[in-house]
Amino acid sequence: MSYKEPSFQDRTAAAAKAKQRALELLRAKPAVDPAELEARRKAQEARDQALAEQRAAKAEALAAAKAEKLAKKQAEAQRKAEEQAAAEEAAALKEARLKPPSAAEMKAARDARYAARKARK
């Protein structure tokens, strides 16, 4: 007696028999009703349509989120630019106040006061 209980020929014969049985079952299976096929096709189309709508909605939401994020970023940049401009303007004004007036500026101010005094008389 061999250590392999079923021989190679026995195994191939069993495989061929199983294959033949599967083919017979497949042939015996009734054909699918055309109305059923049409219903399946319509159901699949409906699922595909719903999936496409979901994807479109998701893409639209993503685009809206990106646009909102970009708008916030631009608003923040605008705010920072305005703050920077205000700070520079304040620094320039402070520097102008601290700088002593030149002789020409002092003469112009004195002349303006004199002219105002003359105008009041």
Side-chain angles (χ1 to χ4, degrees):
M1 184 175 230
S2 171
Y3 67 92
K4 292 185 180 177
E5 193 56 35
S7 69
F8 178 73
Q9 289 80 14
D10 293 338
R11 291 193 310 265
T12 55
K17 205 181 282 185
K19 185 176 179 182
Q20 189 62 34
R21 197 171 353 169
L23 284 172
E24 287 170 4
L25 287 174
L26 187 63
R27 286 187 192 117
K29 190 175 183 181
V32 181
D33 184 27
E36 177 67 24
L37 283 177
E38 184 65 22
R40 288 182 191 176
R41 187 186 60 75
K42 286 183 180 178
Q44 183 62 40
E45 286 177 359
R47 282 192 298 268
D48 291 345
Q49 181 69 24
L51 184 60
E53 289 173 2
Q54 286 177 348
R55 286 181 180 160
K58 188 175 181 179
E60 186 177 315
L62 185 61
K66 281 185 179 180
E68 183 180 338
K69 187 176 180 180
L70 180 63
K72 283 182 180 180
K73 197 173 188 179
Q74 289 176 342
E76 182 67 20
Q78 178 69 23
R79 186 186 60 79
K80 284 184 179 181
E82 289 172 358
E83 287 178 359
Q84 180 69 23
E88 288 174 2
E89 186 178 326
L93 184 60
K94 184 177 179 183
E95 185 179 319
R97 284 186 195 154
L98 294 178
K99 186 174 95 174
S102 67
E105 290 172 341
M106 288 173 46
K107 182 178 183 324
R110 187 173 55 245
D111 290 346
R113 285 193 306 270
Y114 178 74
R117 204 170 40 245
K118 282 291 207 174
R120 275 186 261 143
K121 288 184 180 180

